[in-house]
Structure formats: structure tokens, C-alpha cells
Amino acid sequence: MRIISVEKNMADELCGLDSEMLLNKKGRPCLLMLRLKYKGRKVDFAVPFRSNIPPAEQKCNYFPLPPRHTTRPKHRHGLHFSKMFPIRKQFLQKYHIDDNPAMLRAEQILKKNEKQIIMQAQTYLDNYSQGRRPTYSTDIDLLLAFLDELEVQAA
């Protein structure tokens, strides 16, 4: 696992396909989760950091982090599994956290809880593939089909 952002052009394309994709504001940070199982395949996923997860969101759909200065009252900051999406390595960019104390702290929390985060993400994907999807979740099948088509075209 590492903190990354998605190349702007690819992020814009994915947002154009799925209205539930979070907009790529200034290279939104995501946690790259390598090789999770989804419908019998191993797929790389990016899980976006989100500073205003609604208070009604079920706790199983996010991993909480300390609030940011942009987190509204009663909202949560964390990794939002409902907004996770498949990604390919060629569309990743390094996310620089060296000068950001909040992101350095988040990185420490993520490393300390790596197994729990992976387990939560995998459980989310298992539920999603069985049809138990949150109302405002990304369309993983649509996004995965798009990425697969790009690979076919590039070959």
C-alpha cells in the first residue's frame, strides 16, 4: 500500500464515465491497494481519501482518519471504500506528502492498520460483487471494462 494520485487525464476520463467518481481536485490522494480479488481476478484499486464522508455512511464503508481542517461538523475524514475504483499502474503518480503534517500522520496510521484496511476493502469488494452495493458507490464493473478495453487497444 502507498499513497498515490491518478494522472489527471485518466481521472477526468473515469469521472466522465461514472458520476460517482470523486473529482480529481488538485491530484486527490488515494491509497493504492494492490491485487485485491474481484470476481475471480486480481485487480489493483485506488481508495480515495475523503474529508467529508456523510454521517449516515455505514462504518464498514470507510476507514476513519483524524479530521482535516476541511472536515465539516459531524462528517468523517477517511478512506472511502464506496468510492474505490480499479486502476492500472501506468496511470499512477507519486503523491508528495513530505511537507504535509496531516498526510504524514495519516500515512503512519495507515501503515499501523494495513491488515485491517486490506481486510475491510476486500470485504467491501466481496459484498459489492454479490450485489450488496451502497447507493452512491462507484460502478466498478463499468470502470474495469473501460480499463480492460484500453489495454486491448494498446496491445
Side-chain angles (χ1 to χ4, degrees):
M1 289 189 340
R2 67 182 200 265
I3 299 173
I4 51 97
S5 66
V6 177
E7 184 182 278
K8 181 172 177 20
N9 290 341
M10 179 50 61
D12 291 345
E13 288 230 27
L14 294 174
C15 287
L17 284 172
D18 186 353
S19 62
E20 289 304 323
M21 283 285 300
L22 295 176
L23 295 176
N24 194 22
K25 301 175 188 174
K26 300 178 187 171
R28 176 186 292 278
C30 296
L31 182 67
L32 178 63
M33 306 201 61
L34 300 173
R35 317 286 293 160
L36 293 174
K37 282 199 275 187
Y38 181 69
K39 293 187 175 179
R41 323 172 36 178
K42 296 281 188 169
V43 180
D44 295 339
F45 282 91
V47 185
F49 285 78
R50 189 168 183 201
S51 61
N52 284 300
I53 298 170
E57 182 69 81
Q58 293 181 355
K59 292 184 188 247
C60 63
N61 292 333
Y62 69 92
F63 179 81
L65 291 168
R68 289 175 31 93
H69 67 281
T70 57
T71 306
R72 293 184 293 232
K74 298 186 180 181
H75 285 70
R76 305 286 180 261
H77 174 242
L79 295 172
H80 202 181
F81 299 120
S82 299
K83 301 297 181 180
M84 71 191 299
F85 56 95
I87 195 65
R88 299 291 192 267
K89 291 178 184 172
Q90 66 262 34
F91 303 119
L92 303 179
Q93 295 178 329
K94 181 169 176 52
Y95 187 83
H96 299 282
I97 62 170
D98 303 330
D99 59 345
N100 186 333
M103 286 303 289
L104 288 169
R105 183 172 173 212
E107 183 181 46
Q108 290 174 338
I109 293 168
L110 297 173
K111 285 181 180 177
K112 181 179 175 186
N113 294 284
E114 184 173 1
K115 286 181 183 176
Q116 179 187 348
I117 294 166
I118 292 169
M119 188 176 70
Q120 266 187 273
Q122 187 61 63
T123 299
Y124 173 82
L125 288 173
D126 293 344
N127 288 334
Y128 186 100
S129 67
Q130 294 169 7
R132 294 188 301 269
R133 303 173 181 171
T135 305
Y136 299 106
S137 61
T138 55
D139 188 337
I140 293 173
D141 295 312
L142 172 74
L143 299 171
L144 194 53
F146 172 74
L147 293 172
D148 288 345
E149 182 62 30
L150 282 180
E151 279 187 6
V152 169
Q153 290 174 4

